[in-house]
Amino acid sequence: MRLRLLMLGKTRRPELRTIFDDYIKRIGRSPPIEINEVRDADAALKRLDADRAATTILLDVGGKPLDSDALARWLAEQRDRGTREIVFVCGDADGFPESLRKRVTQKLSLSPMTYSHELARIMLAEQLYRAFAILSGSPYPK
């Protein structure tokens, strides 16, 4: 199974980018992970249309809330079912236009609170790393 983070806009603050990159590097030891930063929703839709077989998840405050263990179980189920790729779509400061919300029907909430898009990306990366640590029995999640 492969992971892809499709992000509208860029993480511009260098200190946040460093933290994000660290978690991405750690995740890469489990499943392969790819980061795609695109300019806008149209570019994101083109990327998604290029691979319709992927399971796509939109990060959204109104999405399904999962704790870390539930996210780990969901990822394991996807892996065990033979899912080839999971794409997490992360918004920019303006959120998501309706066209992208309609295209990506599965939604995941990191929290009912609102976070900056740059911080939400770090939180997603950390939770993905934590999920794979849980699955591997690593002491990290404790």
Side-chain angles (χ1 to χ4, degrees), residues 1-2 4 47-57 78 82-87 103 106:
M1 182 174 71
R2 203 173 95 121
R4 183 164 31 125
R47 291 266 182 153
L48 293 174
D49 288 342
D51 187 8
R52 289 209 174 252
T55 298
T56 308
I57 310 293
Q78 296 301 307
T83 300
R84 288 189 5 217
E85 182 175 32
I86 300 174
V87 179
R103 167 64 173 79
Q106 292 188 67

Side-chain angles (χ1 to χ4, degrees), residues 12-51:
R12 299 201 185 279
R13 293 179 52 194
E15 65 276 14
L16 296 179
R17 186 62 192 222
T18 299
I19 297 167
F20 176 78
D21 288 344
D22 179 57
Y23 281 115
I24 296 304
K25 182 179 172 186
R26 292 181 194 195
I27 293 167
R29 296 181 196 138
S30 297
I33 186 166
E34 179 182 326
I35 307 301
N36 299 134
E37 293 177 322
V38 295
R39 194 166 49 143
D40 56 24
D42 290 337
L45 287 167
K46 285 179 186 175
R47 291 266 182 153
L48 293 174
D49 288 342
D51 187 8

